[in-house]
Amino acid sequence: MKSEKQATNTNENAWPWSRIAKVLILTSVVSALVAFGLTALLINIFERKQEARNPFYRVVELTEVKVTMLVPGQPITVTSYVNDQFKALKTLVPMMGLTLEMVESDKTFAQRDDDVVDFLDRLSIKSPTELGDIASKTAITYDLTATCPSEFVILETSNQTVKKENGRTIVTVRPFVPQADTPLPYAGDNKEALAAMQPSEYLQSDNPKIKELAAAAVGTTTETLKAARQIENFVKGFITTKDLSIGYASAAEVAKSRQGDCSEHAVLTAAMCRAAGIPARVVCGVVYVDSFIGQKSVFGGHMWTEVFVGDGWVGLDATRAPNGFSAAHIALAVGDGSPADFFSLVNTLGCFKIDKITVIEKQK
């Protein structure tokens, strides 16, 4: 998120609504189109002709093709209807408790002004109570119930626990605090941490510019968490143009452009941490804000970073630095910053509501 003020959670440009909606749509649709060459997918082609109508009621015979993407949590099945040239004239994509239906049409029909679906509304989750000063909360427990027929999955991390109780999902977020800081670089044997040290497609920690930025941020610091906090603060100041104009940038691209919203802050923070010898990963989920475009007390889509310190993952949020991560962040997926890591959000965002919130205040 792009909030410039630590004292407030309100910012009209704070949430990457268009970004996350775009990622969810593109990952689902593009995957359906290119999936035929991927071994991670199950493809069922039904060699029977289906009657389908285009927007002008021309009856055509099409072949039904179902593509099942095997993603964490549960599969996502995309149904397409293709002609003899294997061109999809109609595609159905499950998304956020809805079914996105795409039908080929001419430009005039496609741009008509009716039945516009507000995906932003599906990306917001109403909070049953105002949270006030987030920094004063030690932990927050969220009582969730499903709003879609299919079951939603919330992952467990060092910062949050999940349990099922009488058909409800109880999530408790308590920011992880290591017992002590550890020396740089990471020298442990945790498999997840070791994997989170390597450069990736979106976290190019071996990029010369990213190495240069990491060195500038860390300086002579030799402790892991202290260095990570310095990187968190550095990234907040380094990204000077905070807007939604970037489609989805990698860390190397952000290092050049110095532009973006929460996803750009997250990938650059993670890449710089890896370059400094700190295991880091990108997290996608929701975060609480006081208000946004007329809505009060809601949770909206967000991305941040986690670093491995001691024996757990510590949250960082460069858009809200310093100490940007809080109990108001609910993680839904983790990965290397690639959109493919967040496929499972299609079956999670928009498919649960928060019925109750229990707050544990910090002791004074």
Side-chain angles (χ1 to χ4, degrees), residues 35 48 75 89 103 119 143 162 172 178 215 220 242 244 265 290 349:
R48 66 176 186 269
L89 301 185
V103 181
F119 281 103
D143 193 326
V162 182
T172 299
T220 60
K242 301 176 185 290
L244 299 170
H265 286 73
D290 290 328
L349 278 176

Side-chain angles (χ1 to χ4, degrees), residues 124-172:
S124 65
I125 303 169
K126 180 65 178 177
S127 174
T129 185
E130 294 183 5
L131 292 183
D133 180 16
I134 300 298
S136 68
K137 277 60 173 173
T138 296
I140 301 177
T141 296
Y142 303 91
D143 193 326
L144 314 179
T145 55
T147 57
C148 301
S150 58
E151 183 180 3
F152 66 93
V153 177
I154 306 291
L155 80 163
E156 288 196 340
T157 71
S158 302
N159 296 290
Q160 68 184 36
T161 59
V162 182
K163 66 177 181 178
K164 299 289 185 178
E165 187 176 288
N166 299 323
R168 297 173 294 125
T169 300
I170 311 300
V171 180
T172 299

Side-chain angles (χ1 to χ4, degrees), residues 30 33 91 164 327 362:
V30 172
L33 296 178
T91 302
K164 299 289 185 178
K362 291 182 179 178

